């Protein structure tokens, strides 16, 4: 029952929560400096996740596993979001940032061999079509500076390398404790960058507070707990293909929430991206297994609501 619920509800929940992060980020960065927003997100989420892990008796990583967890957390949190939030401060749109982030399955697939996973020719075709769909979804919003582009690419590298690193070196870590460590170790780095920048001005406290609440509860806690659980249950390529859909969903949400225009090509991109996702998933649908099967979840995790309900 738990596995079935994760199969049905997990992907759409992850896509919605991940897409909403771009909208909350745009709102937050419009009200306060990017690093101040990021520090608030990491610090509050870190404290809440540590409390959650303690209350639910999570198994904390130690020794070398803890060191690997810290590296993965800094890549997936500080590097990725530090670059993306700074790009938002450079007026790069949510759609463009999600476009670049949506290329992560291709980058991850290149490194899939490090995990012993096999990517078939049909899956590569699906990745290619999915990438085309991502491009179509935001082609009318493709005006950005060189600095903004480089920041987006840095954020893409953080997410992709962090995902591969986590899967390679901490495949069986307790999701609750691992996510708490990711946030907790990233907060001091963001705080240091706030001090270096020296900008503490909040122009709109209400928007700043509202965006932080959403980013902490929905994005930092819900989305990453769900993502890390999926990475334990499924292979990396299967999880990463959901990111093809996120740019089009983000564009729709940006149109509804922050009044960014929704063009016909965005709708076309969504359709093409879905086709690519289907092709990229055919191996799993056919019941074939990757060269290295995804590890089973720890008993402690499987017994908690974390692994049985969408966030």
């Amino acid at each position: 029952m738990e596995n079935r619920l994760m199969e049905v509800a997990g992907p759409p929940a992850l896509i919605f929560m991940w897409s909403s992060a771009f909208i909350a980020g745009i709102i937050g960065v419009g009200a306060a400096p990017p690093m101040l927003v990021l520090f608030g997100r990491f610090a509050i989420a870190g404290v809440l996740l540590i409390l959650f892990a303690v209350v639910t008796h999570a198994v904390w990583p130690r020794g070398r596993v803890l060191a690997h967890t810290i590296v993965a957390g800094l890549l997936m949190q500080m590097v990725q979001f530090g670059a993306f939030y700074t790009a938002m401060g450079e007026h790069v749109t949510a759609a463009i940032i999600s476009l670049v982030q949506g290329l992560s399955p291709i980058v991850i697939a290149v490194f899939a061999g490090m995990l012993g996973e096999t990517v078939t020719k049909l899956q590569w075709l699906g990745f290619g079509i999915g990438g085309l769909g991502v491009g179509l979804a935001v082609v009318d919003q493709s005006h950005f500076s060189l600095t903004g582009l480089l920041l987006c690419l840095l954020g893409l590298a953080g997410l992709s390398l962090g995902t591969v690193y986590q899967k390679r070196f901490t495949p069986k870590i307790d999701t609750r404790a691992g996510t708490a460590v990711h946030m907790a170790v990233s907060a001091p780095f963001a705080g240091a960058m706030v001090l270096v920048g020296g900008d503490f001005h909040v122009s709109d406290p209400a928007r700043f507070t509202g965006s932080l609440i959403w980013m902490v509860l929905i994005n930092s806690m819900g989305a990453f707990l769900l993502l890390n659980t999926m990475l334990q249950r499924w292979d990396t390529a299967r999880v990463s293909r959901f990111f093809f859909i996120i740019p089009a969903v983000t564009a729709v949400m940006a149109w509804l929430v922050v009044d960014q225009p929704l063009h016909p090509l965005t709708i076309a991109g969504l359709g093409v991206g879905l086709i690519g996702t289907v092709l990229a998933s055919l191996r799993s649908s056919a019941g074939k297994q990757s060269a290295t099967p995804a590890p089973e979840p720890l008993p402690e995790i499987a017994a908690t609501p974390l692994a049985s309900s969408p966030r």
Side-chain angles (χ1 to χ4, degrees):
M1 180 63 180
E2 291 182 356
N3 290 335
R4 179 58 179 169
L5 186 58
M6 177 65 75
E7 292 275 351
V8 174
L14 178 67
I15 291 167
F16 169 77
M17 290 190 290
W18 206 280
S19 298
S20 72
F22 297 101
I23 311 305
I26 290 293
I27 294 173
V29 170
M35 286 301 121
L36 184 58
V37 175
L38 199 61
F39 172 70
R41 170 178 174 166
F42 289 157
I44 298 172
V47 171
L48 292 178
L49 283 166
I50 289 173
L51 292 175
F52 173 72
V54 170
V55 169
T56 58
H57 306 290
V59 179
W60 292 93
R62 299 177 182 275
R64 185 173 298 179
V65 175
L66 176 59
H68 287 313
T69 303
I70 291 173
V71 173
L74 290 175
L75 286 170
M76 296 179 71
Q77 299 295 331
M78 189 62 226
V79 175
Q80 178 191 185
F81 289 108
F84 284 151
Y85 277 43
T86 305
M88 291 177 187
E90 295 288 326
H91 306 293
V92 179
T93 65
I96 290 300
I97 295 174
S98 63
L99 161 66
V100 176
Q101 190 188 68
L103 299 176
S104 61
I106 298 173
V107 179
I108 290 172
V110 172
F111 293 102
M114 295 173 57
L115 308 179
E117 297 176 8
T118 301
V119 181
T120 67
K121 292 181 179 179
L122 187 59
Q123 285 183 304
W124 278 114
L125 176 62
F127 290 149
I129 294 176
L132 175 61
V134 167
L136 287 174
V138 294
V139 69
D140 289 339
Q141 306 174 53
S142 58
H143 302 289
F144 46 79
S145 65
L146 177 60
T147 301
L149 173 62
L150 293 177
L151 286 167
C152 288
L153 292 177
L154 178 60
L156 171 64
L159 170 62
S160 302
L161 294 177
T163 301
V164 172
Y165 191 96
Q166 174 175 278
K167 185 70 173 180
R168 174 64 178 83
F169 293 105
T170 61
K172 294 185 177 181
I173 190 174
D174 189 309
T175 302
R176 298 159 294 179
T179 308
V181 171
H182 286 185
M183 299 295 170
V185 300
S186 298
F189 285 87
M193 295 191 71
V194 173
L195 293 176
V196 171
D199 187 358
F200 308 94
H201 177 67
V202 177
S203 60
D204 191 331
R207 289 168 65 89
F208 174 67
T209 302
S211 65
L212 271 186
I213 291 173
W214 185 272
M215 285 187 286
V216 167
L217 297 180
I218 304 301
N219 305 139
S220 291
M221 298 184 69
F224 272 94
L225 285 171
L226 180 57
L227 174 64
N228 291 338
T229 300
M230 286 180 168
L231 286 172
Q232 284 192 330
R233 290 171 175 257
W234 303 333
D235 65 68
T236 311
R238 180 180 180 184
V239 175
S240 64
R241 70 170 183 266
F242 300 130
F243 285 87
F244 277 136
I245 307 174
I246 288 173
V249 175
T250 300
V252 173
M253 294 179 68
W255 171 60
L256 293 172
V257 179
V258 293
D259 200 28
Q260 292 183 354
L262 180 61
H263 301 286
L265 280 177
T266 301
I267 300 173
L270 176 59
V272 174
L274 288 173
I275 293 173
T277 301
V278 171
L279 288 176
S281 66
L282 285 182
R283 180 185 62 178
S284 297
S285 298
K288 298 179 182 179
Q289 302 296 322
S290 60
T292 300
E296 292 297 323
L298 295 176
E300 294 88 343
I301 297 176
T304 65
L306 169 63
S308 61
S309 63
R311 273 136 327 254

